[in-house]
Amino acid sequence: MTQSSSDRTSLRELIDDRDVGAVLTWLDEHAPHRIADELARMNAVDAGLAFRLLDKDRALEVFEELEPVDQQQILSGLRDQSFRELVEGMDPDDRARMLREAPATVAKKVLAGLSPRERRMTAALLGYPEGSAGRFMTPEVVALHRDLTAAEALGVVRAKGAHAETVYTLPVVDDGRRLTGVVEMRELVLSDPSTPLTELTVTEPVFARATDAAEKAARLMRETNLINLPVVDSEDRLVGLLTIDDAVEVIEAADSEDMARQAGASPWAGHYMAAGVFQLARYRAMWLLLLLVAATLTVTVTDAFEATLAQAAHLALFIPLLIGAGGNAGAQAATSCVRALAVGEVRVSDLFKVIWRECRVGLVLGAMLAVVGVVIGTAFVGTQIALVVGITLVIICGWAATIGGTMPLLAKKLRIDPAVISAPMVTTLVDATGLIIYFTTAKIVLGI
């Protein structure tokens, strides 16, 4: 199959050439998510120009695929009428997601342009705590009363389903709108019309509270293989559904933030290719400055053992090898622990189990590395210093793995984001303590 010219040419290139006909062709041939990705790579002027060439319905599909920061960029270039039509057509949860990151002036303009019904739903979502499931759920839900039959339930779906974001999972409620169960659309369609809804209902449904963390609710959906999760208030009354597309975005955002912090950088919003050099540098600079300050510990330790180095100068040859091995062992353990915490495989109560586990893993790794270290040391500087290197590798790796595995758990216990205890921070700490271990071992083994 040959590749069309529009596939070989990016939208940005066509915009740069000001070839409107080719731009229209490209937009017609590509899916909304692909168009959104191209718009996110452009500056505000070019993205706005391309977006205005989309028809109304397709523009809304593309707009909802964009990240909030890119949505704000598009909105800033629209006239009032187009602005109102676009935000009115958005799903309430997508609109709330955009507004929680928008400047106050943009949020005010958006809310002012909404119909009373849409404004009420959006304001209700924004009233929930930041990062909660209530902020990400859709309030447009078809709820079925538990006393209906299958035929009556399908009638409700036909009457109200057009205004709902999804009808695959249908919450079942009582007279007080309290959640009593859920029923899948498949069950309604395939059952006898006269079947009571109570016979088709899962009476102990998995659900989340609106004030629960959105990440926790999203990971619950992944663990239970749900495509929609009912969300209730403090009195078990149904208030919305967390849909699978929003759950995926929540997990992706959380994982992206964790990855950035583990790499020693602050997370940023928006497309990487659209971010400027100085913008990216700003997000990374603070962490690097903090790590630079922390690294002065290594300098201080080296200075304190200057006399030891003077008596056995060959010890200096192995400093990079030792602190590199210890830092990597600590970073591996920290990354594994943060990941295990995120997916629920490890809890804070497992602290001592993790300490014991990581200590043994580190010692095994250290022993393996020590064999190689002794061989290398013997070849270069002789048996005595090689023995120091081997013993140090075992101790450093055991210590580094223990520190790397337990620091995220301690951070969680202190209500600090475990990802903040990033691999670079663990590495910096292990570097300093590893040198203390190395020089102390040398003094004992060499008698200096």
Side-chain angles (χ1 to χ4, degrees):
M1 181 182 291
T2 59
Q3 191 177 34
S4 69
S5 60
S6 62
D7 285 331
R8 295 192 298 268
T9 306
S10 70
L11 181 59
R12 178 190 290 181
E13 292 172 335
L14 297 177
I15 290 292
D16 289 341
D17 294 339
R18 293 297 186 261
D19 190 341
V20 177
V23 171
L24 289 171
T25 300
W26 195 99
L27 293 173
D28 287 340
E29 291 179 352
H30 290 81
H33 74 274
R34 176 73 187 281
I35 299 172
D37 181 68
E38 287 291 315
L39 294 179
R41 293 167 177 262
M42 300 179 187
N43 60 48
V45 175
D46 289 345
L49 176 62
F51 187 81
R52 285 193 289 272
L53 294 175
L54 295 165
D55 62 64
K56 180 180 175 182
D57 293 336
R58 195 162 173 79
L60 180 59
E61 292 178 0
V62 171
F63 190 77
E64 291 189 333
E65 292 285 346
L66 292 167
E67 292 297 316
V69 65
D70 300 314
Q71 290 176 334
Q72 295 165 34
Q73 178 175 281
I74 295 295
L75 286 177
S76 65
L78 296 180
R79 293 192 175 95
D80 288 346
Q81 181 62 29
S82 299
F83 184 101
R84 285 194 295 270
E85 289 178 353
L86 193 59
V87 296
E88 179 75 18
M90 294 178 71
D91 290 327
D93 53 321
D94 292 331
R95 191 187 301 122
R97 182 176 68 122
M98 178 188 70
L99 291 181
R100 74 172 178 267
E101 299 180 19
T105 53
V106 175
K108 184 177 180 181
K109 184 178 179 182
V110 169
L111 291 173
L114 295 174
S115 64
R117 177 177 179 273
E118 295 293 333
R119 188 184 303 119
R120 283 195 301 272
M121 285 192 293
T122 304
L125 294 181
L126 292 173
Y128 290 107
E130 181 71 28
S132 65
R135 284 285 186 102
F136 290 86
M137 71 181 184
T138 174
E140 296 179 308
V141 181
V142 177
L144 304 175
H145 194 277
R146 62 185 178 186
D147 293 338
L148 299 177
T149 63
E152 292 169 337
L154 283 173
V156 172
V157 174
R158 293 189 188 98
K160 300 181 179 180
H163 299 292
E165 184 171 335
T166 178
V167 293
Y168 296 113
T169 301
L170 300 162
V172 179
V173 297
D174 61 13
D175 293 331
R177 202 175 169 78
R178 286 182 292 272
L179 182 70
T180 62
V182 294
V183 62
E184 300 296 327
M185 173 62 76
R186 181 176 184 274
E187 296 295 327
L188 292 181
V189 173
L190 297 180
S191 298
D192 185 277
S194 61
T195 304
L197 193 59
T198 51
E199 294 184 11
L200 307 175
T201 301
V202 176
T203 55
E204 294 184 1
V206 178
F207 65 89
R209 299 204 179 274
T211 53
D212 289 346
E215 183 183 351
K216 177 183 176 183
R219 295 195 186 279
L220 176 62
M221 290 180 67
R222 187 175 68 177
E223 292 168 7
T224 53
N225 297 318
L226 295 176
I227 59 172
N228 296 295
L229 180 70
V231 181
V232 300
D233 63 13
S234 59
E235 298 179 2
D236 292 338
R237 291 177 301 208
L238 180 72
V239 290
L241 282 177
L242 182 62
T243 56
I244 186 63
D245 58 328
D246 290 321
V248 169
E249 289 187 4
V250 168
I251 293 175
E252 180 183 356
D255 289 347
S256 297
E257 180 179 350
D258 287 350
M259 288 177 65
R261 295 196 185 283
Q262 288 179 56
S266 298
W268 72 86
H271 201 292
Y272 170 81
M273 295 304 295
V277 172
F278 288 103
Q279 181 183 7
L280 291 175
R282 177 167 56 87
Y283 282 116
R284 300 177 187 178
M286 183 56 68
W287 270 99
L288 287 177
L289 288 171
L290 290 173
L291 292 172
L292 181 63
V293 172
T296 58
L297 289 172
T298 304
V299 178
T300 303
V301 171
T302 305
D303 183 63
F305 286 92
E306 185 177 2
T308 304
L309 274 174
Q311 294 182 58
H314 286 152
L315 289 173
L317 295 175
F318 296 93
I319 290 177
L321 182 149
L322 293 169
I323 65 176
N328 289 335
Q332 288 177 337
T335 301
S336 297
C337 190
V338 169
R339 181 256 176 203
L341 272 172
V343 300
E345 294 176 355
V346 169
R347 295 184 291 271
V348 175
S349 58
D350 296 322
L351 176 61
F352 292 107
K353 293 180 181 178
V354 171
I355 291 175
W356 176 232
R357 186 182 188 86
E358 287 296 340
C359 180
R360 288 180 295 161
V361 170
L363 291 174
V364 170
L365 291 173
M368 294 168 60
L369 296 177
V371 173
V372 179
V374 168
V375 172
I376 295 174
T378 301
F380 280 93
V381 294
T383 306
Q384 277 194 310
I385 291 181
L387 182 60
V388 172
V389 171
I391 294 172
T392 303
L393 277 170
V394 175
I395 299 173
I396 281 182
C397 287
W399 168 246
T402 304
I403 290 295
T406 55
M407 282 183 69
L409 287 170
L410 292 174
K412 184 78 171 179
K413 187 174 181 64
L414 296 173
R415 300 180 182 275
I416 301 172
D417 184 354
V420 173
I421 309 300
S422 59
M425 184 64 76
V426 171
T427 301
T428 303
L429 177 61
V430 170
D431 285 352
T433 55
L435 285 178
I436 295 174
I437 294 170
Y438 181 38
F439 291 128
T440 302
T441 304
K443 291 179 73 172
I444 295 172
V445 174
L446 301 178
I448 57 178

mmCIF file of all heavy atoms in Angstrom, residues 293-306 432 435-436 439:
data_model
loop_
_atom_site.group_PDB
_atom_site.id
_atom_site.type_symbol
_atom_site.label_atom_id
_atom_site.label_comp_id
_atom_site.label_asym_id
_atom_site.label_seq_id
_atom_site.Cartn_x
_atom_site.Cartn_y
_atom_site.Cartn_z
ATOM 1 N N VAL A 293 23.332 21.169 45.256
ATOM 2 C CA VAL A 293 23.580 21.501 46.659
ATOM 3 C C VAL A 293 23.765 20.226 47.481
ATOM 4 O O VAL A 293 24.667 20.116 48.316
ATOM 5 C CB VAL A 293 22.436 22.358 47.230
ATOM 6 C CG1 VAL A 293 22.599 22.547 48.733
ATOM 7 C CG2 VAL A 293 22.387 23.713 46.533
ATOM 8 N N ALA A 294 22.890 19.244 47.211
ATOM 9 C CA ALA A 294 22.987 17.975 47.945
ATOM 10 C C ALA A 294 24.308 17.265 47.654
ATOM 11 O O ALA A 294 24.871 16.575 48.515
ATOM 12 C CB ALA A 294 21.812 17.071 47.582
ATOM 13 N N ALA A 295 24.820 17.455 46.435
ATOM 14 C CA ALA A 295 26.066 16.784 46.057
ATOM 15 C C ALA A 295 27.274 17.319 46.810
ATOM 16 O O ALA A 295 28.342 16.690 46.803
ATOM 17 C CB ALA A 295 26.293 16.923 44.553
ATOM 18 N N THR A 296 27.116 18.478 47.444
ATOM 19 C CA THR A 296 28.231 19.001 48.248
ATOM 20 C C THR A 296 28.562 18.075 49.412
ATOM 21 O O THR A 296 29.667 18.136 49.971
ATOM 22 C CB THR A 296 27.908 20.404 48.792
ATOM 23 O OG1 THR A 296 26.711 20.349 49.589
ATOM 24 C CG2 THR A 296 27.719 21.397 47.662
ATOM 25 N N LEU A 297 27.619 17.200 49.784
ATOM 26 C CA LEU A 297 27.895 16.195 50.808
ATOM 27 C C LEU A 297 29.049 15.296 50.374
ATOM 28 O O LEU A 297 29.912 14.921 51.185
ATOM 29 C CB LEU A 297 26.644 15.342 51.072
ATOM 30 C CG LEU A 297 25.477 16.019 51.794
ATOM 31 C CD1 LEU A 297 24.266 15.087 51.789
ATOM 32 C CD2 LEU A 297 25.873 16.374 53.219
ATOM 33 N N THR A 298 29.060 14.943 49.090
ATOM 34 C CA THR A 298 30.118 14.092 48.562
ATOM 35 C C THR A 298 31.466 14.789 48.668
ATOM 36 O O THR A 298 32.478 14.174 49.045
ATOM 37 C CB THR A 298 29.818 13.741 47.084
ATOM 38 O OG1 THR A 298 28.529 13.132 47.004
ATOM 39 C CG2 THR A 298 30.863 12.795 46.537
ATOM 40 N N VAL A 299 31.479 16.082 48.338
ATOM 41 C CA VAL A 299 32.722 16.853 48.432
ATOM 42 C C VAL A 299 33.207 16.906 49.885
ATOM 43 O O VAL A 299 34.400 16.754 50.173
ATOM 44 C CB VAL A 299 32.511 18.277 47.881
ATOM 45 C CG1 VAL A 299 33.789 19.107 48.022
ATOM 46 C CG2 VAL A 299 32.066 18.228 46.425
ATOM 47 N N THR A 300 32.246 17.120 50.791
ATOM 48 C CA THR A 300 32.593 17.203 52.215
ATOM 49 C C THR A 300 33.183 15.895 52.721
ATOM 50 O O THR A 300 34.178 15.884 53.466
ATOM 51 C CB THR A 300 31.333 17.561 53.038
ATOM 52 O OG1 THR A 300 30.789 18.781 52.552
ATOM 53 C CG2 THR A 300 31.686 17.719 54.517
ATOM 54 N N VAL A 301 32.595 14.773 52.324
ATOM 55 C CA VAL A 301 33.094 13.460 52.754
ATOM 56 C C VAL A 301 34.500 13.219 52.209
ATOM 57 O O VAL A 301 35.403 12.753 52.930
ATOM 58 C CB VAL A 301 32.133 12.350 52.291
ATOM 59 C CG1 VAL A 301 32.756 10.976 52.526
ATOM 60 C CG2 VAL A 301 30.804 12.459 53.027
ATOM 61 N N THR A 302 34.700 13.535 50.927
ATOM 62 C CA THR A 302 36.017 13.344 50.319
ATOM 63 C C THR A 302 37.075 14.172 51.037
ATOM 64 O O THR A 302 38.205 13.708 51.291
ATOM 65 C CB THR A 302 35.975 13.733 48.832
ATOM 66 O OG1 THR A 302 34.943 12.990 48.175
ATOM 67 C CG2 THR A 302 37.310 13.423 48.149
ATOM 68 N N ASP A 303 36.700 15.404 51.384
ATOM 69 C CA ASP A 303 37.642 16.280 52.097
ATOM 70 C C ASP A 303 37.977 15.717 53.475
ATOM 71 O O ASP A 303 39.117 15.788 53.932
ATOM 72 C CB ASP A 303 37.031 17.680 52.216
ATOM 73 C CG ASP A 303 37.983 18.659 52.886
ATOM 74 O OD1 ASP A 303 39.065 18.923 52.329
ATOM 75 O OD2 ASP A 303 37.639 19.159 53.982
ATOM 76 N N ALA A 304 36.970 15.140 54.138
ATOM 77 C CA ALA A 304 37.178 14.603 55.488
ATOM 78 C C ALA A 304 38.130 13.413 55.478
ATOM 79 O O ALA A 304 38.849 13.159 56.466
ATOM 80 C CB ALA A 304 35.845 14.203 56.100
ATOM 81 N N PHE A 305 38.165 12.677 54.367
ATOM 82 C CA PHE A 305 39.039 11.502 54.295
ATOM 83 C C PHE A 305 40.274 11.776 53.419
ATOM 84 O O PHE A 305 40.854 10.859 52.834
ATOM 85 C CB PHE A 305 38.266 10.295 53.736
ATOM 86 C CG PHE A 305 37.299 9.689 54.708
ATOM 87 C CD1 PHE A 305 35.971 10.107 54.746
ATOM 88 C CD2 PHE A 305 37.714 8.711 55.595
ATOM 89 C CE1 PHE A 305 35.073 9.547 55.642
ATOM 90 C CE2 PHE A 305 36.822 8.147 56.493
ATOM 91 C CZ PHE A 305 35.504 8.567 56.524
ATOM 92 N N GLU A 306 40.642 13.027 53.349
ATOM 93 C CA GLU A 306 41.795 13.397 52.529
ATOM 94 C C GLU A 306 43.066 12.675 52.975
ATOM 95 O O GLU A 306 43.885 12.245 52.156
ATOM 96 C CB GLU A 306 42.004 14.909 52.587
ATOM 97 C CG GLU A 306 43.114 15.406 51.656
ATOM 98 C CD GLU A 306 43.257 16.912 51.681
ATOM 99 O OE1 GLU A 306 42.519 17.568 52.457
ATOM 100 O OE2 GLU A 306 44.104 17.434 50.943
ATOM 101 N N ALA A 432 27.131 10.037 48.799
ATOM 102 C CA ALA A 432 27.823 10.555 49.988
ATOM 103 C C ALA A 432 28.052 9.453 51.023
ATOM 104 O O ALA A 432 29.162 9.280 51.536
ATOM 105 C CB ALA A 432 27.023 11.702 50.598
ATOM 106 N N LEU A 435 30.705 6.819 49.999
ATOM 107 C CA LEU A 435 32.100 7.196 50.204
ATOM 108 C C LEU A 435 32.529 6.965 51.656
ATOM 109 O O LEU A 435 33.667 6.552 51.919
ATOM 110 C CB LEU A 435 32.299 8.668 49.823
ATOM 111 C CG LEU A 435 32.311 8.974 48.322
ATOM 112 C CD1 LEU A 435 32.462 10.467 48.087
ATOM 113 C CD2 LEU A 435 33.426 8.211 47.621
ATOM 114 N N ILE A 436 31.624 7.239 52.583
ATOM 115 C CA ILE A 436 31.929 6.975 53.998
ATOM 116 C C ILE A 436 32.197 5.483 54.200
ATOM 117 O O ILE A 436 33.154 5.075 54.880
ATOM 118 C CB ILE A 436 30.778 7.440 54.902
ATOM 119 C CG1 ILE A 436 30.625 8.970 54.813
ATOM 120 C CG2 ILE A 436 31.009 7.015 56.343
ATOM 121 C CD1 ILE A 436 29.420 9.515 55.575
ATOM 122 N N PHE A 439 35.725 4.576 52.485
ATOM 123 C CA PHE A 439 36.923 5.003 53.203
ATOM 124 C C PHE A 439 37.036 4.333 54.579
ATOM 125 O O PHE A 439 38.136 4.038 55.045
ATOM 126 C CB PHE A 439 36.950 6.518 53.354
ATOM 127 C CG PHE A 439 37.165 7.241 52.041
ATOM 128 C CD1 PHE A 439 36.311 8.254 51.640
ATOM 129 C CD2 PHE A 439 38.214 6.905 51.219
ATOM 130 C CE1 PHE A 439 36.510 8.921 50.442
ATOM 131 C CE2 PHE A 439 38.426 7.564 50.001
ATOM 132 C CZ PHE A 439 37.560 8.568 49.609
#
